[in-house]
Amino acid sequence: HVQLVESGGGSVQAGGSLRLSCIVSGLTYRLYYMAWFRQAPGNEREGVAAINDDGRTFYTDSVKGRFNITKAEDKKTLYLHMNGLKPEDTAMYRCAAARYYGGFWAFAPQYHLWGQGTQVTVS
């Protein structure tokens, strides 16, 4: 079965950088979107960034210019390069994958595969 496993989270000071990775295993079909979502305690889940099968990228406004989403050529690893981190970026970050187009990239119900998450803490 398909698994998404994230890594790369940690604790950093404001202004620092982290790179999150999401390894996809067991995949036997193409994906339309791969994305990163985050959720802080007491907050709604938020789409952070996504990349579609054509390589087009999408970002929520608060991370534009600071975060960069990429995927490996074999499309089995998704990355989120985070620079200029702020305390408000503190959250559990989860990668997600959608097999079919289901609308706006940040529409969470279209994502049928989710990782367990990796914690990012910025102080």
Side-chain angles (χ1 to χ4, degrees), residues 65-85:
R66 300 189 297 123
F67 291 11
N68 186 36
I69 187 170
T70 61
K71 60 183 176 182
E73 283 299 316
D74 62 6
K75 302 182 181 179
K76 293 182 179 179
T77 306
L78 180 71
Y79 300 100
L80 185 66
H81 308 262
M82 305 187 295
N83 301 305
L85 283 161

Side-chain angles (χ1 to χ4, degrees), residues 13-54:
Q13 292 188 336
S17 299
L18 284 172
R19 187 185 76 167
L20 305 184
S21 300
C22 173
I23 296 176
V24 183
S25 62
L27 193 64
T28 59
Y29 49 82
R30 292 177 64 180
L31 297 169
Y32 187 83
Y33 282 131
M34 294 185 74
W36 290 95
F37 285 78
R38 66 185 179 187
Q39 188 168 19
N43 288 3
E44 295 286 322
R45 180 172 51 191
E46 174 190 30
V48 178
I51 186 167
N52 72 7
D53 195 48
D54 293 332

Side-chain angles (χ1 to χ4, degrees), residues 56-109:
R56 185 179 177 191
T57 58
F58 310 86
Y59 298 92
T60 192
D61 285 347
S62 64
V63 308
K64 285 180 181 177
R66 300 189 297 123
F67 291 11
N68 186 36
I69 187 170
T70 61
K71 60 183 176 182
E73 283 299 316
D74 62 6
K75 302 182 181 179
K76 293 182 179 179
T77 306
L78 180 71
Y79 300 100
L80 185 66
H81 308 262
M82 305 187 295
N83 301 305
L85 283 161
K86 303 176 180 180
E88 51 263 43
D89 295 317
T90 295
M92 178 69 74
Y93 285 70
R94 300 177 70 187
C95 69
R99 184 172 184 179
Y100 303 110
Y101 174 77
F104 180 60
W105 67 269
F107 181 60

